[in-house]
Amino acid sequence: MATAPRVRFAPSPTGHLHIGGARTAIYNWAFAKQQGGTFVLRIDDTDPERSTEENTQVILRAMEWLGMDWDEGPGKGGPDGPYFQTERTQSYRVALERLKATRAVYPCFCTTEELDAKRRAARERGDSFQGYDRTCRFIPPDEAASRIAAGEPHVWRIKVPEDRGTVAFHDAVRGECRFDAGVLDDFVVMRSDGTPTYNFATVVDDAAMHMTHIIRGDDHLSNTPRQILVYEALGAVVPEFAHLSMILGADGKRLSKRHGATSVESYRDMGYLPEAIMNYLPLLGWSPDGETTLFSTNELCERFRLDHISRNPAVFDPEKLDWINMQYLRALTPAAYVDAMEPFIERAGLATPRDIAGDRAWFEAITPLISERIHRLDQVAPMIAYLFGDTVELDGKSVEKVLAKEGARDVLCAMHDALFAATSWAAADLETIGRGVCEKLDLKPKKVFQPVRVAVTGSMVSPPLFESLELLGRRRCLARIRTAMAVAL
Ligand code: GLU
């Protein structure tokens, strides 16, 4: 019986969770869900200079925000913990001892200066092989032992077997991959300060955590043959691999800060919903059937297949993400919409959570006015700012184009009087009144409604007029129309 897959996402907390990292995490997570497997979160914090606790927390929060629950990992524990590499140093030491016992590794005493000089010389000679020249591989074991005993600094290198030939593996995305072991140098597994290198720590952990599939970015493809040699030296089962193509910006270069925001957090702060991100990111290299664009997280977990991932690099398309986000925003209930927009309204200084809690119905009534116009929640505050405060700032261009036109004042005057006499302030009744004014003045609706729109919302472009009037209330609408009359022609 095949065992259920075990996969992991292993971010290095040297920065925030990048969009590309998030896609890797999603693929691992969805694969585990689809297969009834286990998703492990491991924090690869072996780089002491660049790893920070704060980054770890930001990554964990981003994972939680996206709704990617891990089965084992920080805060959860699990049978194969700890899940921070800095807490696993003992297992790297034990693994190294095993490799020493089988002479799969050897100590190397070459200094950095010596290595630099060798590399320079190789370059000058025009050698195609510029890796380590294996000098220390041939030091007799007892001589090496006495140099270690005398305290001579050394690293441990893996012995690439002489006759290893080709390291071949099947990659779920890229198919057959083959690397000539002859071009792999005897790479370092343990540094002189006793810390493991990435290629060693990763394999020791992935083996100890019983990983069955390694799904990661193809920036690690060239590490894979080296890691396979470590699995073989440890006598561990080599997992399956799936290397994901990079995400590119519109210019065809690898997605980076130059293209704009890259961290998951910044997308949250721009007002993307987690469901939209969980829909868009998987599309960068996968789709349920090649055409479906919108799918729920549940569908993703049901339909995700590793062997349907494209090997072509995907291009990040902010417009498509916006469109998808809009679909999710439109599907929110008014109550959920208000919850989602609350932090954005608060940040813009329009209302506090307390104001919102005290007037839920009013805030919920705003949402149908804007949901067809909003791609991201950070667009909400500028669009609804006119609904707050007694007065409104009139946009210069709108004044010039609408209020400063002959007859605008008379229109405002007629509308003011008609609205003043209104017995109901419901949008539909206000519209009836407005249309009555059009008839009376024998003017097209646009001629009558545009000046009112500018007067009340401050701009020619706004959410629907009569609903806005209803939300603003009689007193503020009439006052704003009177103010505008003073500047109208
Ligand atoms: N910590 C590594 C990284 O963030 C993990 C790579 C891997 O998945 O093996 O790149």
Side-chain angles (χ1 to χ4, degrees):
M1 200 184 77
T3 49
R6 289 179 56 85
V7 292
R8 71 349 181 236
F9 176 53
S12 303
T14 52
H16 293 186
L17 182 58
H18 184 272
I19 283 291
R23 183 195 57 171
T24 302
I26 295 171
Y27 283 180
N28 276 284
W29 179 80
F31 177 67
K33 293 272 177 216
Q34 199 274 326
Q35 298 269 319
T38 303
F39 175 60
V40 176
L41 179 62
R42 184 180 74 221
I43 304 296
D44 283 2
D45 54 353
T46 39
D47 182 344
E49 255 130 60
R50 293 170 58 228
S51 301
T52 69
E53 169 60 22
E54 197 206 323
N55 285 333
T56 301
Q57 292 309 323
V58 171
I59 292 169
L60 297 184
R61 272 204 304 275
M63 294 284 292
E64 281 163 5
W65 180 71
L66 289 172
M68 271 187 278
D69 49 331
W70 49 99
D71 302 302
E72 298 173 21
K76 275 268 169 77
D80 297 328
Y83 295 92
F84 287 84
Q85 285 195 323
T86 42
E87 293 171 22
R88 301 180 64 84
T89 39
Q90 185 56 21
S91 52
Y92 309 130
R93 254 178 243 140
V94 170
L96 184 70
E97 289 310 316
R98 277 175 51 197
L99 298 188
K100 285 186 200 171
T102 57
R103 299 215 184 281
V105 289
Y106 62 88
C108 168
F109 304 94
C110 296
T111 63
T112 318
E113 294 73 35
E114 282 166 344
L115 293 172
D116 285 347
K118 284 176 200 220
R119 218 171 292 127
R120 242 189 340 265
R123 228 187 348 259
E124 275 158 22
R125 279 198 308 274
D127 280 5
S128 56
F129 183 80
Q130 291 182 7
Y132 181 59
D133 68 356
R134 300 186 170 179
T135 311
C136 294
R137 183 165 170 156
F138 306 104
I139 297 176
D142 42 348
E143 183 193 327
S146 52
R147 287 171 73 173
I148 291 172
E152 192 172 339
H154 59 283
V155 300
W156 288 89
R157 290 180 184 273
I158 195 148
K159 264 186 207 162
V160 175
E162 290 290 4
D163 50 358
R164 182 58 183 78
T166 303
V167 181
F169 60 94
H170 177 82
D171 187 280
V173 178
R174 312 177 68 91
E176 274 319 290
C177 293
R178 301 170 75 81
F179 290 84
D180 177 6
V183 302
L184 301 177
D185 66 351
D186 290 350
F187 57 93
V188 176
V189 291
M190 195 68 95
R191 300 187 190 92
S192 54
D193 63 1
T195 58
T197 57
Y198 158 71
N199 279 324
F200 187 53
T202 293
V203 173
V204 171
D205 289 345
D206 287 339
M209 295 180 177
H210 309 100
M211 290 301 141
T212 59
H213 297 73
I214 305 297
I215 307 167
R216 62 183 170 203
D218 70 4
D219 47 337
H220 286 293
L221 187 62
S222 61
N223 287 319
T224 302
R226 293 187 170 83
Q227 293 183 10
I228 288 175
L229 294 179
V230 179
Y231 281 105
E232 289 173 352
L234 288 169
V237 181
V238 180
E240 309 262 322
F241 291 94
H243 287 94
L244 312 172
S245 296
M246 293 288 102
I247 301 176
L248 309 178
D251 58 359
K253 303 227 170 73
R254 191 177 160 176
L255 191 69
S256 74
K257 288 212 176 92
R258 280 179 302 120
H259 299 99
T262 51
S263 74
V264 169
E265 252 182 303
S266 51
Y267 282 84
R268 182 199 59 205
D269 294 345
M270 283 188 276
Y272 292 94
L273 295 176
E275 299 81 1
I277 305 273
M278 289 298 282
N279 185 152
Y280 180 65
L281 290 185
L283 284 172
L284 296 170
W286 177 85
S287 137
D289 49 18
E291 16 185 293
T292 305
T293 310
L294 291 173
F295 44 82
S296 67
T297 305
N298 279 345
E299 281 172 88
L300 167 69
C301 293
E302 273 164 27
R303 303 180 70 176
F304 186 76
R305 297 286 183 285
L306 218 44
D307 53 5
H308 289 182
I309 297 175
S310 164
R311 54 178 302 169
N312 300 325
V315 176
F316 187 82
D317 178 356
E319 278 177 28
K320 189 163 175 183
L321 172 58
D322 277 3
W323 182 83
I324 289 178
N325 199 46
M326 186 183 206
Q327 312 313 310
Y328 282 90
L329 285 169
R330 281 166 55 181
L332 293 177
T333 61
Y337 211 118
V338 171
D339 288 340
M341 70 188 193
E342 181 175 294
F344 295 86
I345 296 181
E346 188 188 10
R347 205 182 306 154
L350 296 179
T352 63
R354 216 177 144 163
D355 299 331
I356 296 171
D359 211 354
R360 287 291 298 194
W362 187 79
F363 282 92
E364 286 179 17
I366 298 176
T367 64
L369 273 61
I370 57 174
S371 68
E372 297 300 319
R373 295 174 166 73
I374 295 279
H375 289 95
R376 305 190 319 240
L377 290 165
D378 66 353
Q379 296 164 339
V380 169
M383 191 172 285
I384 65 170
Y386 72 94
L387 292 173
F388 296 80
D390 277 344
T391 56
V392 70
E393 197 180 320
L394 299 178
D395 158 59
K397 203 157 178 204
S398 303
V399 170
E400 187 190 314
K401 284 208 150 158
V402 179
L403 295 186
K405 288 274 150 63
E406 191 74 49
R409 190 168 192 284
D410 292 343
V411 164
L412 287 177
C413 201
M415 277 297 287
H416 179 272
D417 292 349
L419 291 172
F420 188 80
T423 50
S424 146
W425 204 258
D429 297 323
L430 297 174
E431 181 162 1
T432 309
I433 291 172
R435 300 215 175 260
V437 172
C438 298
E439 253 170 54
K440 199 165 137 214
L441 300 180
D442 193 21
L443 286 174
K444 289 217 177 83
K446 192 173 174 214
K447 276 273 175 228
V448 177
F449 300 162
Q450 257 328 54
V452 181
R453 185 189 297 278
V454 175
V456 173
T457 72
S459 160
M460 293 183 287
V461 202
S462 81
L465 178 60
F466 295 103
E467 283 78 359
S468 298
L469 297 183
E470 179 181 332
L471 283 167
L472 272 164
R474 176 195 297 266
R475 185 184 60 80
R476 283 191 288 178
C477 291
L478 294 178
R480 288 182 186 188
I481 294 174
R482 283 194 300 272
T483 307
M485 276 158 65
V487 295
L489 208 62

